[in-house]
Amino acid sequence: VAVTLADIVAITGGKLLGNEHHCVTEVSDLDNANADSLCFISDRVLLEQLRNTTAGAVILTEDLSADCPVNAIIVDNPQLAYARAASLIYPFTPSSNGIHETAILGSNCQLGQNVTVAAHAVIHDSAVIGDESYIGPSCLVGADVTIGKRCRLLGNVTVDGRSTIGDDVTLHPGVIIGSDGFGFARDGEEWVKIPQAGRVVLGSNVDIGANSTVDRGTIHDTVIGNGVKIDNQVHVAHNVRIGANTIIAGCAGIAGSVTIGKNCMIGGGVGIVDHVTIADGTVLSAMTFVSSSLKQAGFYSSGMPAQENRQWRKNMIRLARLDDMARDLKKLLSGFRKE
Amino acid sequence: VAVTLADIVAITGGKLLGNEHHCVTEVSDLDNANADSLCFISDRVLLEQLRNTTAGAVILTEDLSADCPVNAIIVDNPQLAYARAASLIYPFTPSSNGIHETAILGSNCQLGQNVTVAAHAVIHDSAVIGDESYIGPSCLVGADVTIGKRCRLLGNVTVDGRSTIGDDVTLHPGVIIGSDGFGFARDGEEWVKIPQAGRVVLGSNVDIGANSTVDRGTIHDTVIGNGVKIDNQVHVAHNVRIGANTIIAGCAGIAGSVTIGKNCMIGGGVGIVDHVTIADGTVLSAMTFVSSSLKQAGFYSSGMPAQENRQWRKNMIRLARLDDMARDLKKLLSGFRKE
Amino acid sequence: VAVTLADIVAITGGKLLGNEHHCVTEVSDLDNANADSLCFISDRVLLEQLRNTTAGAVILTEDLSADCPVNAIIVDNPQLAYARAASLIYPFTPSSNGIHETAILGSNCQLGQNVTVAAHAVIHDSAVIGDESYIGPSCLVGADVTIGKRCRLLGNVTVDGRSTIGDDVTLHPGVIIGSDGFGFARDGEEWVKIPQAGRVVLGSNVDIGANSTVDRGTIHDTVIGNGVKIDNQVHVAHNVRIGANTIIAGCAGIAGSVTIGKNCMIGGGVGIVDHVTIADGTVLSAMTFVSSSLKQAGFYSSGMPAQENRQWRKNMIRLARLDDMARDLKKLLSGFRKE
């Protein structure tokens, strides 16, 4: 939608050099921008592009403003200001309003003001949905689930297991919250299911990406703190606890009863074994395997970078007897020292 | 629901020290228990908590019974007995009964006694669904699919490809059974789809976790044995065969035509390349990569544990030339031996 | 369905030795074939099975034809010819025809000739769907989405984010196209969502497997070329570009802004970090981790093959100090050379 630069200044707190009545209707990079475009620049590498841009407006830091040939909005953190400004240009637009005639509501549901329940959604008994929340097409909300205000369940989302969800939470398509944890007791060769009686408790301002899953706890709850951001196809097992503002990239798998601190950054494809603890502020690079607790905040890694296949084959044969190599080396070293 | 200790003794086969008319209505840990709570203890580490518990009843082994201040149910395997007892307290409660008015049934479908087809579910032609089975909201059951008795397709589940499913199978939300296997023939630079004509054959007592997928076979069937338990976001490719009572943790990926024996334990994030065979009773720890057959039952591993990032960078540079290191070491050793 | 050998010759361009009026109705391997079965053989290893087969017809190369006791169809590439022939025997059969009465269509949708919209599907405003396309049960097609001709969205598929899809595209159940990319700007300890304004642009002849996800771009589009084949549970992040005819096996994860060339083969479970480039024709074996650009086409690997657990533990302890080992070895080598 069309947004004036005055509106952008209001939401970003920036200082405008230019025409506050100018409207932008889209975002762009500096190269492809036209008078309707909003851009941002946070890296001097793009200085040449800035000088030549024909954008409607550019969000930038003070030091770059002299090089901006068009309307400039000066802020401390251009990316952050851009995120806020772009949210004005691309507001969330629900697919429908009110309760769609094909939606199914159970008994004793409590729906707040201006709740949307889209086509073919199913809300079971005693669910509570807060003001302004949007339940997208074909979503399933289980019995006794509580969903806060201004939440968005975008489509084909399932929330079950009496889970409770805070305010301003976005669940992308295919997300499943509150499915059973994976717990079985052995009976000879067979496995007997351990009923999963806990909930999922999601804080506020949580985002969970497409097809990610969060299992309910066994006895206690699975707890995800405020401001946690989870990417697509992430698996969060039962009894996991994730601290506020931790961010988890795609395809990560978090096994049962893991505790992750706040302000962590978990890379894509990371695997964390069950029952370990990860300190606040820990950073894990992509495809790291965490097999024991990381009690000191730090930057940890373990993925093996790609090698040319023939070299890799040779190296892996050696790796399989690395312990022997180390012993041989030790032997040599002790001999060497004796000399 | 409220369950008497007499009921629990009946299902667990235990011996009660206490009041058989006492009712419990929830599970708890020893610390947070009240008179309505059922607990279990299988580890002497919790002895102090046992001595101080105010639970309604505790399931435990004989040797711990003297330390239990409340009703005690003595069994050999407290976790197993707990699993059975908890299933009484938390019975499966379908979201609806009978055939929902918004469900769509094709022609020639055979539905057994007391089958539930929930809101917006779609059952295609000639599907067969056994007695007491539950087809949850928005589930899709394809043409010619056969589903046994007392199965539960919890919500947004898809079963297609003429698959056949045994009795007492639970498919959690988002599960997809019988999607096409990934098979293509090369035609110059292009790929031509190889039609997938096999089925998925699931045994009885199988559980499959949220958003997991099992592809149909190419010519023969993909076969999953009785009692197999599969966690969330697991991928089982076409033509795979998995033996009875094997258990597979979250995010594992099993490539095409793999044969996994019975009673195996496959850890989270494990990857298994196509066409390999894994012996009965094999255990694979989390994130193990299986690139060739494991013909001897055993405990195998290969994930690389997390290292501090700076150290990891150095180590990975060395790893890329490990074969050279091994040659150098060999040279030194031969020199050393000559001396 | 029943297909004559004449039909198969017509689609495969082969040469028939036998009865062109013979019908086959199924595919089989050589061992289990009967007169209704079509088989193929591309490997002399199966020569004995060929000599003893009772198939209705066998697709094979010239050199094997003398050993075929039944109708033979001689071609250069039996697997490719088989793929085409089998597509006649197993044509796609939509679950319904026309617009199902429970489907929901928004305003200003443009539907081509013979479009199917199955039960409980939801098509939002201004979507365009080309001739002969099939929108399966419970699929969601978002506003302004464009879908080409002869596409198949099989069931529970979501396409949103104003994405555009070419012709002859198959999206298997649970696929999500055009969900938001994972982009956040930091505001102190909190994360502020960066609106995702780009689309997904899928070429023609693309297949995407069950529960895979492709995120829309941030400013530019996520672009997947013609003929790309993607298996189940693959994650393609925002701004990724994938060249024509690249094939990606299950559980791979492609991080944001990655560029993958054409004709690449990406193995199962591969992880690729953000912003790297992969050359045309690159092959990555299963579970390879790509942490920097691969600018030369080649065959790359990095998964660590499974080891017996006890040996692995020892080796991993050594691996954690591999750099020290390398230094020690260097020291020894320099001493050795001095002697």
Side-chain angles (χ1 to χ4, degrees):
Chain A
V1 304
V3 173
T4 66
L5 301 189
D7 292 334
I8 292 176
V9 166
I11 202 174
T12 61
K15 180 182 149 198
L16 175 67
L17 302 182
N19 173 10
E20 70 171 10
H21 301 298
H22 186 86
C23 276
V24 288
T25 60
E26 56 164 44
V27 297
S28 172
D29 58 17
L30 293 165
D31 282 339
N32 298 292
N34 61 48
D36 296 331
S37 309
L38 175 69
C39 302
F40 80 103
I41 175 171
S42 55
D43 191 337
R44 296 191 73 85
V45 170
L46 298 172
L47 196 57
E48 206 49 42
Q49 285 91 325
L50 176 64
R51 287 177 178 146
N52 295 310
T53 195
T54 54
V58 181
I59 299 175
L60 38 61
T61 46
E62 180 95 55
D63 58 316
L64 292 170
S65 62
D67 292 291
C68 181
V70 298
N71 295 306
I73 298 165
I74 299 170
V75 298
D76 290 337
N77 182 340
Q79 189 195 36
L80 175 61
Y82 167 82
R84 295 217 162 100
S87 73
L88 295 180
I89 300 176
Y90 302 100
F92 175 65
T93 46
S95 67
S96 60
N97 286 297
I99 313 301
H100 195 276
E101 58 180 349
T102 61
I104 311 284
L105 265 74
S107 57
N108 295 316
C109 293
Q110 294 177 44
L111 271 59
Q113 301 277 313
N114 296 319
V115 165
T116 299
V117 183
H120 304 311
V122 179
I123 316 287
H124 288 125
D125 297 352
S126 306
V128 177
I129 300 175
D131 297 347
E132 313 286 340
S133 280
Y134 168 79
I135 310 298
S138 297
C139 287
L140 310 179
V141 176
D144 300 309
V145 164
T146 298
I147 294 174
K149 296 176 182 174
R150 297 172 303 277
C151 290
R152 300 168 188 171
L153 281 60
L154 292 182
N156 271 330
V157 168
T158 300
V159 182
D160 208 343
R162 300 181 301 111
S163 296
T164 176
I165 292 181
D167 298 329
D168 300 294
V169 167
T170 300
L171 305 180
H172 289 91
V175 163
I176 295 166
I177 304 293
S179 43
D180 273 358
F182 194 61
F184 296 90
R186 253 198 150 134
D187 180 18
E189 294 197 333
E190 294 181 9
W191 298 97
V192 174
K193 182 178 177 65
I194 298 173
Q196 303 291 305
R199 301 171 301 164
V200 174
V201 177
L202 284 190
S204 292
N205 290 302
V206 171
D207 268 46
I208 301 188
N211 279 346
S212 286
T213 56
V214 183
D215 282 351
R216 66 194 297 193
T218 309
I219 290 177
H220 299 294
D221 299 326
T222 301
V223 180
I224 296 186
N226 293 333
V228 169
K229 308 297 179 187
I230 295 179
D231 197 358
N232 293 6
Q233 301 202 39
V234 171
H235 166 51
V236 179
H238 54 179
N239 311 319
V240 167
R241 302 179 76 87
I242 302 177
N245 299 319
T246 281
I247 194 161
I248 302 179
C251 304
I254 319 290
S257 303
V258 165
T259 299
I260 299 177
K262 58 185 181 178
N263 303 321
C264 293
M265 298 178 71
I266 312 289
V270 163
I272 305 178
V273 304
D274 54 295
H275 286 91
V276 306
T277 296
I278 294 180
D280 291 350
T282 295
V283 178
L284 302 175
S285 61
M287 287 184 93
T288 295
F289 170 48
V290 179
S291 57
S292 58
S293 290
L294 300 173
K295 294 188 176 165
Q296 295 288 336
F299 181 9
Y300 299 92
S301 302
S302 77
M304 188 195 304
Q307 304 165 21
E308 190 276 322
N309 175 270
R310 230 181 114 191
Q311 189 61 42
W312 168 77
R313 280 171 186 268
K314 289 182 195 167
N315 289 336
M316 289 305 104
I317 290 166
R318 303 302 186 173
L319 183 61
R321 54 174 296 281
L322 187 60
D323 185 54
D324 292 342
M325 274 178 68
R327 285 170 196 277
D328 285 346
L329 182 59
K330 214 168 173 181
K331 227 182 295 171
L332 282 172
L333 280 169
S334 62
F336 188 71
R337 280 175 194 135
K338 272 178 211 154
E339 287 169 38
Chain B
V1 304
V3 173
T4 66
L5 301 189
D7 292 334
I8 291 175
V9 166
I11 201 172
T12 61
K15 181 181 146 196
L16 176 67
L17 302 182
N19 172 12
E20 69 172 11
H21 301 298
H22 187 87
C23 277
V24 289
T25 60
E26 57 163 43
V27 296
S28 172
D29 59 17
L30 293 164
D31 282 339
N32 297 291
N34 62 49
D36 296 330
S37 309
L38 176 69
C39 301
F40 81 103
I41 175 171
S42 54
D43 191 338
R44 296 191 72 86
V45 171
L46 298 172
L47 196 56
E48 206 50 40
Q49 285 91 325
L50 176 63
R51 286 177 177 146
N52 295 311
T53 195
T54 53
V58 181
I59 300 175
L60 39 62
T61 47
E62 180 93 56
D63 59 313
L64 292 169
S65 62
D67 292 294
C68 180
V70 297
N71 295 306
I73 298 165
I74 299 170
V75 298
D76 290 339
N77 182 341
Q79 190 196 35
L80 175 60
Y82 167 82
R84 295 217 163 99
S87 72
L88 297 179
I89 301 175
Y90 302 100
F92 175 66
T93 46
S95 66
S96 61
N97 286 296
I99 313 301
H100 196 275
E101 59 180 350
T102 61
I104 311 285
L105 266 72
S107 57
N108 294 317
C109 293
Q110 293 176 44
L111 271 58
Q113 302 277 313
N114 297 320
V115 165
T116 299
V117 183
H120 304 313
V122 179
I123 316 286
H124 288 126
D125 297 352
S126 305
V128 177
I129 300 175
D131 298 348
E132 314 286 339
S133 279
Y134 169 80
I135 310 300
S138 298
C139 286
L140 310 179
V141 176
D144 300 308
V145 164
T146 299
I147 294 174
K149 296 175 183 173
R150 297 172 303 276
C151 289
R152 299 168 189 171
L153 281 62
L154 292 182
N156 270 329
V157 168
T158 300
V159 182
D160 208 343
R162 300 180 303 111
S163 296
T164 176
I165 293 181
D167 299 329
D168 301 294
V169 168
T170 299
L171 305 180
H172 289 91
V175 164
I176 294 165
I177 304 293
S179 42
D180 274 358
F182 194 62
F184 297 90
R186 252 199 149 134
D187 181 19
E189 293 197 334
E190 294 181 10
W191 297 97
V192 175
K193 182 178 177 66
I194 299 173
Q196 304 291 304
R199 301 172 301 165
V200 173
V201 177
L202 283 191
S204 292
N205 291 301
V206 171
D207 268 46
I208 301 188
N211 279 345
S212 287
T213 57
V214 183
D215 281 352
R216 66 192 299 193
T218 309
I219 290 177
H220 299 293
D221 299 327
T222 301
V223 181
I224 296 186
N226 293 333
V228 168
K229 308 297 181 189
I230 295 179
D231 197 358
N232 293 5
Q233 302 202 39
V234 171
H235 166 50
V236 179
H238 55 177
N239 312 318
V240 166
R241 303 179 75 87
I242 302 177
N245 300 318
T246 282
I247 194 162
I248 303 180
C251 304
I254 320 288
S257 303
V258 165
T259 299
I260 300 177
K262 57 186 182 177
N263 303 321
C264 293
M265 298 177 70
I266 312 289
V270 162
I272 304 179
V273 302
D274 54 296
H275 287 91
V276 306
T277 296
I278 294 179
D280 293 349
T282 296
V283 178
L284 302 175
S285 61
M287 287 183 95
T288 295
F289 169 47
V290 179
S291 56
S292 58
S293 289
L294 300 173
K295 293 187 176 167
Q296 297 287 336
F299 180 11
Y300 299 93
S301 302
S302 77
M304 188 195 303
Q307 303 164 23
E308 190 276 322
N309 175 269
R310 232 182 113 189
Q311 189 62 41
W312 167 78
R313 281 172 184 267
K314 290 183 194 166
N315 289 335
M316 289 303 104
I317 290 166
R318 303 301 188 174
L319 183 61
R321 53 174 298 282
L322 187 61
D323 184 55
D324 292 342
M325 274 178 68
R327 285 169 196 277
D328 284 345
L329 182 58
K330 215 168 170 181
K331 224 180 297 171
L332 282 174
L333 280 169
S334 61
F336 187 71
R337 279 175 196 136
K338 272 178 212 154
E339 285 169 40
Chain C
V1 304
V3 173
T4 66
L5 301 190
D7 292 335
I8 291 176
V9 166
I11 202 174
T12 62
K15 180 180 147 198
L16 175 67
L17 302 182
N19 173 10
E20 71 171 9
H21 301 298
H22 186 88
C23 276
V24 289
T25 59
E26 56 163 43
V27 297
S28 172
D29 59 17
L30 293 165
D31 283 339
N32 297 292
N34 62 49
D36 296 331
S37 309
L38 175 69
C39 300
F40 80 104
I41 174 170
S42 54
D43 191 337
R44 296 191 72 85
V45 171
L46 298 172
L47 196 57
E48 206 49 39
Q49 285 91 325
L50 176 63
R51 287 177 177 145
N52 295 311
T53 194
T54 54
V58 181
I59 299 175
L60 39 61
T61 47
E62 180 94 56
D63 59 313
L64 291 170
S65 61
D67 291 294
C68 181
V70 298
N71 295 307
I73 297 165
I74 299 171
V75 298
D76 290 338
N77 182 341
Q79 190 196 34
L80 175 60
Y82 167 83
R84 296 217 163 99
S87 73
L88 296 180
I89 300 175
Y90 302 100
F92 175 66
T93 45
S95 66
S96 60
N97 286 296
I99 312 301
H100 195 276
E101 60 180 349
T102 60
I104 311 284
L105 266 73
S107 56
N108 294 316
C109 294
Q110 294 175 44
L111 272 58
Q113 302 276 314
N114 296 319
V115 165
T116 300
V117 183
H120 304 312
V122 179
I123 316 287
H124 289 126
D125 297 352
S126 305
V128 177
I129 300 175
D131 297 347
E132 314 286 339
S133 279
Y134 169 80
I135 309 300
S138 298
C139 286
L140 310 179
V141 177
D144 299 310
V145 164
T146 299
I147 294 175
K149 296 175 182 174
R150 297 172 303 278
C151 290
R152 299 168 188 170
L153 280 61
L154 291 183
N156 269 330
V157 168
T158 300
V159 182
D160 209 343
R162 299 180 303 110
S163 296
T164 176
I165 293 181
D167 298 329
D168 301 293
V169 167
T170 300
L171 305 180
H172 289 91
V175 164
I176 295 165
I177 304 293
S179 43
D180 274 357
F182 193 62
F184 297 89
R186 247 192 155 140
D187 181 19
E189 294 197 333
E190 294 181 10
W191 298 97
V192 174
K193 182 178 178 64
I194 299 172
Q196 304 290 303
R199 301 171 302 165
V200 174
V201 177
L202 282 190
S204 292
N205 291 301
V206 171
D207 269 46
I208 301 188
N211 279 346
S212 286
T213 55
V214 183
D215 281 351
R216 66 193 299 192
T218 309
I219 288 178
H220 299 293
D221 299 326
T222 302
V223 181
I224 296 186
N226 293 333
V228 168
K229 308 297 179 187
I230 295 179
D231 197 357
N232 294 5
Q233 301 201 39
V234 170
H235 166 51
V236 179
H238 55 179
N239 312 318
V240 167
R241 302 178 76 88
I242 302 178
N245 300 317
T246 282
I247 194 163
I248 303 179
C251 305
I254 320 290
S257 302
V258 165
T259 299
I260 299 177
K262 58 185 181 177
N263 304 320
C264 293
M265 299 178 70
I266 312 290
V270 162
I272 305 180
V273 302
D274 54 295
H275 287 90
V276 306
T277 296
I278 293 180
D280 292 349
T282 296
V283 178
L284 303 175
S285 60
M287 287 182 94
T288 295
F289 169 48
V290 180
S291 57
S292 57
S293 290
L294 300 173
K295 293 188 176 166
Q296 297 287 335
F299 180 11
Y300 299 92
S301 301
S302 77
M304 189 195 302
Q307 304 166 21
E308 190 276 323
N309 175 269
R310 231 182 113 191
Q311 188 63 42
W312 167 78
R313 281 172 185 268
K314 289 183 193 166
N315 289 336
M316 289 305 104
I317 290 166
R318 301 302 186 173
L319 184 61
R321 55 173 296 282
L322 187 60
D323 185 55
D324 291 342
M325 274 178 66
R327 285 169 195 279
D328 284 346
L329 182 59
K330 213 167 173 181
K331 224 181 297 172
L332 282 172
L333 279 168
S334 62
F336 187 72
R337 279 173 194 139
K338 271 178 212 155
E339 284 169 40

